[in-house]
Amino acid sequence: LASAVPLSDLVGFAGLFAVAVGVAAAAAALGTLIGTLAETRLQAGLAAVAAWFAVAIGLDLLLLGMGAFARVGEVALVGAVLANPLETGRVLALLAIDGGAASLGPAGGFVVTQFGLAPTMALLATALVAWIAVPLLLAGRLLATRDT
């Protein structure tokens, strides 16, 4: 692989791998929280499917509606990106590979233009870590309060 791909591109691919692992960890953390909140396996499964739909499709539709119909500003679009771990990972992965704002869409382009590349990547990485830590902390707290 190293002979076919320049070393400078391998750094971007390593960043992409790290983002993929982070998004997977965020999904696992959300699944852990859902499993902790559910009383039965059926409830946990149904809630997990609903959460997947909301994160994978529903929040994107909401983001499109906010941009097209509600005419909210870029700051609200950035908030919507940070509120979705998949979208946060997508923008962070694009920045890790390309580093340009052209392929990020309006919200990602706005943040990179306003703050610069490194602060934007730090903000998105922090949001992804929060998507991992907060559900796990909540699940741990809920489990600690249950009777054994």
Side-chain angles (χ1 to χ4, degrees):
L1 182 66
S3 63
V5 179
L7 186 60
S8 61
D9 290 343
L10 288 178
V11 173
F13 285 117
L16 177 63
F17 178 75
V19 170
V21 169
V23 170
L30 286 172
T32 300
L33 179 61
I34 289 170
T36 303
L37 291 169
E39 293 182 16
T40 66
R41 286 184 287 194
L42 178 62
Q43 286 178 346
L46 292 174
V49 170
W52 172 84
F53 179 80
V55 170
I57 298 169
L59 291 176
D60 283 344
L61 292 176
L62 181 65
L63 184 63
L64 285 172
M66 285 173 52
F69 301 113
R71 302 211 186 271
V72 298
E74 286 90 355
V75 175
L77 292 176
V78 170
V81 168
L82 295 175
N84 183 345
L86 293 179
E87 196 69 22
T88 299
R90 181 190 69 82
V91 174
L92 188 57
L94 286 172
L95 287 175
I97 291 174
D98 183 20
S103 61
L104 297 178
F110 170 76
V111 176
V112 171
T113 303
Q114 290 290 36
F115 303 113
L117 180 63
T120 299
M121 290 183 76
L123 172 69
L124 293 169
T126 302
L128 197 54
V129 168
W131 273 107
I132 297 166
V134 171
L136 289 177
L137 289 172
L138 290 173
R141 181 165 286 191
L142 286 169
L143 286 174
T145 61
R146 285 191 181 168
D147 291 333
T148 55

